[in-house]
Amino acid sequence: MDIYLRKLDFTPLAAESLPVATPPAGMTMSALPTGSMSSNAMFAYRGGSFGSKREFSMTSFLVRHPKGDLLFDAGFGRNIEAHTQTMPWLMRQITTYKNGRSIGDQLGSSDYPLDKLVGVILTHAHWDHVSGLDSLPPKTPVWVSGAERTFISSRSSMTALVNSFPNVNYKEYSFDDGPYLGFPSSYDVWGDGSIVLVPAPGHTPGSIIAFISLPTGARYALLGDLVWQNEGVDIPAERPWLSRRLVREDDDLVRENIARIAAIHKRFPEIKMIPAHDSIASGKVPVYPSSTR
Ligand SMILES: [Zn+2]
């Protein structure tokens, strides 16, 4: 560890027990890895060393539920060479990428009926989370929080890629279901506690975290880019200055939400925390067509 490491403070979560969830027996979860980017650990989290390389995995998750199948984020798509051009210039200079197969191609080649998808829930609308939308039927609903929909409409350069796609079928939702594990509000997607979305703004104005509860009792939290890698939760630590400026995030809001997640992690270590770009974390979920329940 080096002199730039600064642990964020957090207050332990007082919750007595995990929120109630009654996921149906048919519910499963799979990972769809779509590629990776490679950069230096010093860009990954504050305190990361300059000498070591870091892989940033690009993974989508399929959560099948009797009420409807949902994808979480879209990963790398079919036109990744063109899509990387929408990254900030400096970020292009400090990263290289490895393309895998898009979500549409992985699902399609297994005869998964793509029109069965009730939506893709975006943790946020940055290019590396929407690129794979180009491999899905254009009418597939793309679920975004109201704040993220407004962010997309602002046409900031950070949303250039999603705004370049014609006729995205946005489905906007709101957080009407009350506090959840220290977050002030939530959206219980199927009403059974199996998929609960909470607002976690900062990285983008409408970033979210998705809590998934499976029939065996296994629980996951898809953190999006609140932190990029496990150290962000474990230390806990924010991103280094340069990375924060490159993505133009709100530092105070990100710190507030990292503190919430660190508090949950300490109180309920059984919830598997999955930062969007940590391959060890996403590797805990079996790769499609395998699944866990
Ligand atoms: Zn990302």
Side-chain angles (χ1 to χ4, degrees):
M1 290 302 166
D2 67 14
I3 53 167
Y4 299 107
L5 180 66
R6 200 190 71 185
K7 290 187 187 196
L8 294 175
D9 291 329
F10 62 94
T11 317
L13 187 71
E16 300 254 306
S17 55
L18 284 164
V20 174
T22 52
M27 187 179 173
T28 65
M29 182 174 180
S30 305
L32 297 144
T34 65
S36 65
M37 295 188 71
S38 177
S39 191
N40 212 290
M42 74 174 286
F43 299 116
Y45 62 96
R46 193 167 166 164
S49 86
F50 181 75
S52 61
K53 277 261 172 227
R54 273 305 165 106
E55 285 289 296
F56 288 69
S57 53
M58 304 289 159
T59 307
S60 172
F61 295 91
L62 173 67
V63 176
R64 306 188 76 166
H65 187 289
K67 288 189 176 172
D69 294 356
L70 286 162
L71 285 166
F72 290 80
D73 284 336
F76 280 173
R78 289 174 178 160
N79 299 290
I80 196 63
E81 178 61 40
H83 292 179
T84 56
Q85 298 306 311
T86 66
M87 262 195 288
W89 178 86
L90 184 55
M91 202 171 268
R92 291 205 302 274
Q93 310 313 308
I94 59 177
T95 53
T96 56
Y97 71 87
K98 259 194 294 208
N99 201 6
R101 282 168 81 216
S102 68
I103 46 177
D105 293 331
Q106 292 184 54
L107 294 171
S109 67
S110 73
D111 291 330
Y112 178 90
L114 287 172
D115 53 4
K116 244 192 102 178
L117 285 173
V118 294
V120 181
I121 294 182
L122 299 182
T123 61
H124 63 294
H126 282 164
W127 78 275
D128 53 314
H129 299 256
V130 305
S131 164
L133 293 176
D134 72 354
S135 66
L136 297 177
K139 63 173 175 36
T140 309
V142 175
W143 295 29
V144 288
S145 65
E148 199 68 353
R149 183 72 188 93
T150 304
F151 175 55
I152 293 167
S153 299
S154 76
R155 297 192 160 260
S156 116
S157 62
M158 300 304 287
T159 61
L161 183 57
V162 77
N163 278 311
S164 76
F165 295 150
N167 307 318
V168 177
N169 181 17
Y170 291 111
K171 177 185 148 76
E172 195 177 313
Y173 59 84
S174 50
F175 301 101
D176 297 330
D177 290 317
Y180 189 90
L181 283 172
F183 286 88
S185 60
S186 65
Y187 170 38
D188 182 352
V189 173
W190 298 129
D192 57 12
S194 64
I195 299 174
V196 176
L197 314 181
V198 299
H203 184 65
T204 66
S207 287
I208 61 133
I209 290 168
F211 289 92
I212 315 280
S213 299
L214 297 177
T216 56
R219 297 202 182 215
Y220 297 84
L222 304 179
L223 303 180
D225 283 5
L226 175 65
V227 296
W228 281 336
Q229 306 216 317
N230 282 333
E231 288 89 344
V233 180
D234 293 339
I235 294 173
E238 62 188 336
R239 266 176 285 276
W241 179 86
L242 180 62
S243 303
R244 301 202 305 269
R245 293 292 67 78
L246 280 175
V247 296
R248 293 185 226 157
E249 61 192 18
D250 182 320
D251 293 346
D252 290 337
L253 285 175
V254 169
R255 287 181 194 127
E256 189 181 316
N257 286 310
I258 292 177
R260 287 190 173 116
I261 281 297
I264 296 170
H265 186 49
K266 181 127 183 110
R267 174 67 188 85
F268 299 114
E270 62 270 42
I271 302 177
K272 295 183 184 71
M273 298 288 177
I274 306 186
H277 301 306
D278 193 299
S279 57
I280 294 169
S282 56
K284 290 173 181 158
V285 180
V287 172
Y288 182 84
S290 294
S291 64
T292 185
R293 50 183 297 278

